[in-house]
């Protein structure tokens, strides 16, 4: 069974930084792609960034400049570094992965930014 487990969320002041982690139960290079989505209160879930098996990264326009996706192969983990947090970054952040047409989701980690 493939599992994704996020961690690293919490309550952070605006202007601070945070690093989210997503640990996979299998070798992350078996996934075609892994990434992060987020869902703010009352809004639809949206893509933040993803990284494919070759290492190519894609960011949503809203994530360019402050968000960095990376991975640690031996630890089967991907990360999302968020700098200069803004109130609008408050959301549940979900790890996502894909193997061909199959998608997998983590349970989400809450990020709350306070003023």
């Amino acid at each position: 069974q493939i599992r994704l487990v996020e961690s690293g969320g919490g309550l952070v002041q605006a202007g601070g930084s945070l690093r989210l982690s997503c640990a996979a139960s299998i070798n992350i290079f078996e996934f075609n792609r892994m990434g992060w989505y987020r869902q703010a209160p009352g809004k639809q879930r949206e893509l933040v960034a993803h990284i494919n098996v070759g290492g190519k990264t894609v960011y949503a326009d809203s994530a360019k400049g402050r968000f960095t996706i990376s991975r640690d192969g031996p630890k089967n983990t991907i990360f999302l570094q968020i700098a200069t947090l803004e109130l609008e970054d408050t959301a549940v952040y979900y790890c996502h992965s894909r193997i061909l047409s199959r998608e997998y989701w983590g349970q989400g980690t809450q990020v709350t930014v306070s003023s």
Side-chain angles (χ1 to χ4, degrees), residues 59-103:
Y59 293 89
D61 287 342
S62 60
K64 291 177 181 177
R66 295 191 298 114
F67 293 73
T68 305
I69 189 170
S70 62
R71 64 189 178 189
D72 185 332
K75 294 184 178 179
N76 292 323
T77 300
I78 67 167
F79 305 97
L80 184 69
Q81 181 75 39
I82 313 173
T84 320
L85 280 154
E86 302 174 352
L87 297 178
E88 293 73 23
D89 295 324
T90 294
V92 178
Y93 285 73
Y94 295 92
C95 183
H96 171 266
S97 66
R98 173 175 291 179
I99 299 177
L100 299 178
S101 62
R102 285 203 161 187
E103 296 185 276

Side-chain angles (χ1 to χ4, degrees), residues 10-96:
L11 176 63
V12 186
Q13 280 196 322
S17 62
L18 206 60
R19 189 176 79 158
L20 306 180
S21 301
C22 171
S25 60
I26 66 170
N27 184 330
I28 61 172
F29 293 105
E30 294 191 38
F31 297 115
N32 300 120
R33 174 192 297 178
M34 294 189 75
W36 293 92
Y37 285 70
R38 67 182 182 182
Q39 187 166 19
K43 295 188 176 181
Q44 289 189 326
R45 193 173 298 189
E46 63 177 5
L47 172 71
V48 177
H50 62 71
I51 182 168
N52 72 9
V53 64
K56 180 180 178 181
T57 58
V58 173
Y59 293 89
D61 287 342
S62 60
K64 291 177 181 177
R66 295 191 298 114
F67 293 73
T68 305
I69 189 170
S70 62
R71 64 189 178 189
D72 185 332
K75 294 184 178 179
N76 292 323
T77 300
I78 67 167
F79 305 97
L80 184 69
Q81 181 75 39
I82 313 173
T84 320
L85 280 154
E86 302 174 352
L87 297 178
E88 293 73 23
D89 295 324
T90 294
V92 178
Y93 285 73
Y94 295 92
C95 183
H96 171 266

